[in-house]
Amino acid sequence: MAIVKPFRAIRPIKELASKIAALPYDVMDTAEAREMVKDNPYSFLHVDKAQIDLDADVNMYDNVVYEKARDNLNKMIKDKQYIQDEKPCFYIYRQVMNGRGQTGLVACTSIDDYVNNIIKKHELTVEAKELDRVNHVDYCDANTGPIFLTYRANNEISEIVNKWVKKEPIYDFVSEDGNGHIVWLIDDSKVVNKLEKLFKTVEYLYIADGHHRSASAVKVGHLRRVQNESYSGDEEFNFFLSISYPDNELKVLDYNRTVKDLNGLTSREFLQKVEENFVVKHSENNEAVKPAKKHIFGMYLDRSWYELEAKMGTYNDKNPVDRLDVSILQNNILRPILGIEDPRKSSRIAFIGGIRGLKELEKRANTDMKVSFSMFATTIDDIMNIADNGQKMPPKSTWFEPKPRSGLFVHKLK
């Protein structure tokens, strides 16, 4: 039984929504963020990545960064760039990318559901990244970036959403990347209560993207409980900001790999080793290989494309993690041949989101890297099956697009 509750969002005034809404803090580095905001003083990156407003030599994890984030958020509210709804509401958020839409419900979810595994995880987190967002949420006293959740589609919930989106939206704009963003406000108490009850019939929610943000939000919630020993459980710090999408709305993109060297092997020696566990074919007319099904890989080496098909016995089909293509590549090429034991720690490997296209894999292998691999995308079913089994996916297994924008909804913890 999932707890999904309405809240009084702090949200942009309509005239500034398109200027405030920003990509998530973790999809760009500080230099890129500085460039993004140079002509936009309203961007929410001034809150989510506040080091852009400080000297370049300031450590991004210094307390002064979190103080700046808090001050910037408070100033935006004080300057009436934001408003707050008078009563708890739900919000529908639709994104449109290349003609395909995904529509989710913006709400608050329970830190206890996270702890009790009603909100299921499929990735490990890195402590340093968690601590960064713990400090950010703690100083801002707010959840500033929504957690990207999914659930098995529920017809009754979808019917309500589909009916409501026929109304006038509160926001409707196209961001600089060409993606559409449309938001509707659900303020009808009967509909709000109905949605709350319906979500209580949803057995599990699954984190699609935002494992560090969710873990950090939960830690801040527990910190607030220690500070407020007589808490009732209804306080806002017991909940965190999320967007829940039905699984049939989402599309996972491939998350590709490129490697700096062949671990001391010649190209011929490397290909011979690859052929031990894969059927290797030259791509016809040297066309880029975008795998059309699981267990097929593209490989770009010495300006040539190859198609690799994993042989039987290279994976355990009964193990949902072992049969993932990212695992097959790691266990049969990256670790044993290229010597990359832990891709999270190796400086010899880079990960390329599928939205960048296969040309990016070619470019990297032709310049600063040596060999690139294109992957078939992990599926939503893969994610749910692994989470249901209490297992964790390898790092960089999924890439979701479009990504929810930050800054459209802020959830204050008190």
Side-chain angles (χ1 to χ4, degrees), residues 335-398:
R335 181 186 295 118
I337 302 177
L338 295 177
I340 297 173
E341 293 293 331
D342 186 345
R344 291 176 298 176
K345 298 178 180 179
S346 175
S347 61
R348 296 171 52 228
I349 187 169
F351 303 89
I352 311 295
I355 195 171
R356 303 289 294 274
L358 301 183
K359 288 294 183 183
E360 181 68 14
L361 293 179
E362 294 180 356
K363 174 186 172 184
R364 294 297 299 273
N366 290 338
T367 54
D368 60 322
M369 307 300 263
K370 177 63 177 177
V371 60
S372 293
F373 300 93
S374 58
M375 316 278 288
F376 184 75
T378 303
T379 68
I380 291 290
D381 282 342
D382 289 330
I383 294 171
M384 290 182 165
N385 289 336
I386 287 168
D388 286 341
N389 278 277
Q391 296 174 291
K392 296 294 184 287
M393 300 181 81
K396 310 295 186 183
S397 295
T398 58

Side-chain angles (χ1 to χ4, degrees), residues 208-264:
D209 196 10
H211 283 77
H212 289 93
R213 278 171 283 156
S214 54
S216 303
V218 170
K219 287 186 175 181
V220 174
H222 285 149
L223 177 62
R224 292 289 190 275
R225 287 180 172 183
V226 171
Q227 297 167 345
N228 299 269
E229 293 182 0
S230 60
Y231 74 91
S232 67
D234 294 327
E235 298 87 356
E236 291 300 323
F237 58 72
N238 295 288
F239 305 90
F240 58 88
L241 179 63
S242 63
I243 305 178
S244 297
Y245 299 88
D247 60 345
N248 58 8
E249 292 269 347
L250 299 182
K251 182 179 181 180
V252 190
L253 299 186
D254 43 310
Y255 212 161
N256 302 311
R257 278 90 166 115
T258 185
V259 180
K260 187 176 290 291
D261 57 70
L262 298 183
N263 197 28

Side-chain angles (χ1 to χ4, degrees), residues 235-298:
E235 298 87 356
E236 291 300 323
F237 58 72
N238 295 288
F239 305 90
F240 58 88
L241 179 63
S242 63
I243 305 178
S244 297
Y245 299 88
D247 60 345
N248 58 8
E249 292 269 347
L250 299 182
K251 182 179 181 180
V252 190
L253 299 186
D254 43 310
Y255 212 161
N256 302 311
R257 278 90 166 115
T258 185
V259 180
K260 187 176 290 291
D261 57 70
L262 298 183
N263 197 28
L265 300 171
T266 65
S267 295
R268 181 181 178 83
E269 291 169 337
F270 172 69
L271 280 169
Q272 288 175 339
K273 287 185 176 293
V274 169
E275 287 174 339
E276 293 175 9
N277 286 322
F278 296 84
V279 176
V280 180
K281 300 177 184 176
H282 273 281
S283 171
E284 189 173 342
N285 299 321
N286 204 31
E287 289 187 9
V289 177
K290 185 173 179 61
K293 63 180 181 178
K294 290 184 176 183
H295 310 336
I296 299 290
F297 304 81

Side-chain angles (χ1 to χ4, degrees), residues 141-198:
D141 200 34
N143 304 132
T144 59
I147 312 306
F148 190 153
L149 301 177
T150 187
Y151 61 94
R152 290 186 170 89
N154 177 292
N155 288 337
E156 289 185 85
I157 294 173
S158 296
E159 285 176 9
I160 292 174
V161 170
N162 291 337
K163 182 178 179 180
W164 201 269
V165 297
K166 295 177 182 177
K167 299 177 181 288
E168 185 74 18
I170 57 173
Y171 307 131
D172 187 352
F173 64 91
V174 176
S175 52
E176 74 287 344
D177 54 9
N179 293 344
H181 304 267
I182 315 168
V183 176
W184 293 265
L185 169 70
I186 303 180
D187 56 358
D188 184 309
S189 297
K190 289 183 179 179
V191 177
V192 168
N193 292 337
K194 178 68 172 175
L195 283 169
E196 276 194 274
K197 290 178 181 178
L198 285 172

